Amino acid sequence: MWTLHQFPLCPFSRKVRILLREKGVPFGLQRLDPWKADDDFFDMNHAGRVPVLEETEKGIVLNDSTAICEYFEETVDKAPMINGSALNRAEIRRLVALFEENLFGDVTMPMMHERMKKRLVTREPPDSRILREAMKLAHAHLDYLDWLLDHRAWLAGPQMSLADIAAAAQLSVADYLGGIDWKDHQPTRDWYAAFKSRPSFGPLLADKMDVIQPPAHYAQLDD
């Protein structure tokens, strides 16, 4: 059985968790706080980052969320998430990169640093200027998602794909940390509400950090 070394508020860990459940791959969770990584973990991933997926009986260790997802796309036929024509698959990969570079860098990462890492690790107050800028940039990203959903059934085309999983994983962490204002973004809000209702997403909504609680709407399926 696979073991996923992950952190509950890591969007890349969440991406892998959703994909594995969509594909029906059984796995267990092993929590690892990134700031507590030890030598054993660095032996599994020299970058010292989650997620890491391990199958001890077969001696397999997979690092990096994109590499992990690509591995299961190639080995598990159920629920293909890099799907469609060559052009559509290229669009899926383009959007995944966009969400995991720009959306993460502009919104998710600064929210995690200011509202999570500073509280749990460095014991510093958050920088309100950085938070305001991240929330401002979140609106720009939501505007783009709105545009995509005005023209497509799912973010990359007619079928759910890894692009939807990657975007939902990023937004779920930012939403947990109070960084998303859904007002004036009805297309994306409706898409995300529908995504939250999927069985693959439910366990993420149940995750809670001991000292950091999400907004009231976070786990509501219709909001």
Side-chain angles (χ1 to χ4, degrees):
M1 182 172 173
W2 294 96
T3 298
L4 181 64
H5 301 267
Q6 56 88 44
F7 180 66
L9 288 187
C10 165
F12 304 101
S13 298
R14 289 183 165 217
K15 169 188 166 190
V16 172
R17 291 171 63 181
I18 296 168
L19 178 106
L20 293 178
R21 289 193 170 95
E22 288 286 340
K23 287 185 167 291
V25 177
F27 65 98
L29 293 175
Q30 181 65 48
R31 173 170 169 169
L32 177 72
D33 295 346
W35 53 90
K36 295 180 180 178
D38 57 17
D39 290 342
D40 289 339
F41 184 73
F42 274 92
D43 286 340
M44 288 194 293
N45 182 3
H46 295 167
R49 293 194 296 262
V50 291
V52 171
L53 194 62
E54 180 183 26
E55 219 291 5
T56 54
E57 290 186 3
K58 297 180 180 179
I60 300 174
V61 177
L62 301 174
N63 299 319
D64 181 82
S65 68
T66 296
I68 293 170
C69 291
E70 294 266 3
Y71 173 86
F72 286 99
E73 276 294 289
E74 295 181 13
T75 59
V76 179
D77 291 334
K78 179 182 177 181
M81 292 294 164
I82 304 177
N83 46 41
S85 66
L87 187 61
N88 195 203
R89 295 194 300 274
E91 174 67 354
I92 291 167
R93 289 185 170 98
R94 179 189 76 84
L95 288 174
V96 170
L98 179 69
F99 301 146
E100 297 189 338
E101 295 171 13
N102 296 50
L103 178 56
F104 175 70
D106 290 343
V107 182
T108 316
M109 182 172 65
M111 294 298 301
M112 292 175 67
H113 182 77
E114 295 301 322
R115 287 192 168 161
M116 184 191 72
K117 187 174 181 180
K118 281 189 173 181
R119 182 166 185 179
L120 298 179
V121 183
T122 62
R123 308 296 182 182
E124 300 174 77
D127 186 324
S128 59
R129 181 189 59 81
I130 293 176
L131 290 173
R132 285 194 302 271
E133 181 64 17
M135 295 180 74
K136 177 182 177 182
L137 291 172
H139 280 291
H141 286 283
L142 292 173
D143 282 341
Y144 182 58
L145 295 179
D146 289 342
W147 182 87
L148 290 173
L149 293 164
D150 280 340
H151 294 81
R152 303 169 175 177
W154 294 89
L155 292 177
Q159 297 178 320
M160 176 181 163
S161 74
L162 191 61
D164 298 279
I165 292 174
Q170 295 291 332
L171 291 174
S172 69
V173 174
D175 194 37
Y176 186 104
L177 296 170
I180 302 295
D181 180 0
W182 296 102
K183 184 181 177 182
D184 299 326
H185 297 289
Q186 197 63 45
T188 303
R189 182 175 179 173
D190 291 344
W191 162 84
Y192 185 60
F195 207 98
K196 287 199 295 186
S197 299
R198 299 184 70 84
S200 62
F201 203 86
L204 275 64
L205 297 176
D207 280 351
K208 298 290 189 298
M209 298 291 292
D210 293 339
V211 298
I212 305 173
Q213 294 300 309
H217 69 260
Y218 169 75
Q220 295 173 3
L221 299 183
D222 59 348
D223 204 347

